[in-house]
Amino acid sequence: MGQEGSPVSEVHFNDCRVPAANLIGGEEGQGFRTAMKVLNKQRIHLAALCTGPAIRMLDEAIRFVTERKQFGQPLAEFQLVQAMIADCQTEIFAARALIMETARQRDRGEDVTMQASMCKYFASEMCGRVADRCVQMFGGYGYIADFGIERFYRDVRLFRLYEGTSQIHQLNIAKRTLALAAAS
Ligand SMILES: Cc1cc2nc3c(=O)[nH]c(=O)nc-3n(C[C@H](O)[C@H](O)[C@H](O)COP(=O)(O)OP(=O)(O)OC[C@H]3O[C@@H](n4cnc5c(N)ncnc54)[C@H](O)[C@@H]3O)c2cc1C
């Protein structure tokens, strides 16, 4: 569907022997815990990766609605178009704030398993909503290839799927929230 600059294929390991020295986590039984720690970092990173294209798409949409005129005035002067700009800008800011705060917590050595999930879940869904609004602001030109925004729309759809689907993150956030409530 998108991200054509990043070729994808499955990798199969058959009868693959891994030396004990290469055990993830260094000792038996620690592999999953160690892998999860890596996931936290990757999820914060992926959330930041979602925020970049959202900023770019909004920049492109703002340029377009400022230049294109309908009914004798730039699209940017219509309040319903301004509402889409405001929603995009607000959600981008919220994602950045969430990511920065989680990164600070991780740098302090805190357990950010739930926060990393919240970052990835919110930022990837936010990016999808921003992509949708930006296509809308481009009108019919948003749907055809010449203006480029449709490529972003396709590219960012993957963010909600890999590095844990939105549903898996919802489960993770709820599980940890309920555990915190039970412990308090
Ligand atoms: C272009 C691309 C690149 C990728 N790159 C990588 C990569 O580099 N490394 C890597 O490891 N993987 C990669 N993946 C795989 C990706 O991580 C998985 O596709 C993703 O995790 C979803 O798994 P799945 O496709 O098996 O979907 P499924 O697990 O079959 O899920 C299908 C649907 O069911 C929902 N679902 C599944 N389980 C539950 C549950 N317990 N409760 C509620 N809902 C559930 C999911 O949220 C989803 O909506 C890539 C995939 C694509 C398409």
Side-chain angles (χ1 to χ4, degrees), residues 7 25 43 73 105 113 125 130-131 134 150 152-153 167 170 177:
R43 286 168 176 175
Q73 64 189 91
Q105 289 180 8
T113 306
E125 293 282 338
V130 168
C134 288
E150 62 82 38
F152 277 107
Y153 183 81
Q167 289 71 38
Q170 284 177 307
T177 302

Side-chain angles (χ1 to χ4, degrees), residues 8 158 161-163 165 167-168 171:
V8 173
L158 183 58
L161 294 167
Y162 64 12
E163 205 65 46
T165 63
Q167 289 71 38
I168 295 303
L171 292 176

Side-chain angles (χ1 to χ4, degrees), residues 34-107:
T34 306
M36 288 309 289
K37 280 189 199 158
V38 175
L39 280 186
N40 282 345
K41 187 177 175 188
Q42 281 179 200
R43 286 168 176 175
I44 299 169
H45 174 249
L46 203 277
L49 189 64
C50 296
T51 311
I55 295 168
R56 166 79 183 271
M57 287 185 284
L58 181 56
D59 285 349
E60 302 267 342
I62 287 171
R63 193 173 308 123
F64 181 83
V65 298
T66 306
E67 286 170 6
R68 180 167 168 80
K69 290 189 174 143
Q70 285 291 44
F71 304 99
Q73 64 189 91
L75 293 173
E77 290 180 11
F78 294 116
Q79 287 185 327
L80 291 177
V81 172
Q82 291 176 6
M84 289 192 274
I85 293 171
D87 287 350
C88 291
Q89 182 72 324
T90 305
E91 290 203 272
I92 290 167
F93 187 82
R96 292 183 87 171
L98 188 59
I99 294 161
M100 293 301 289
E101 175 58 19
T102 304
R104 284 189 199 102
Q105 289 180 8
R106 187 177 179 277
D107 284 348

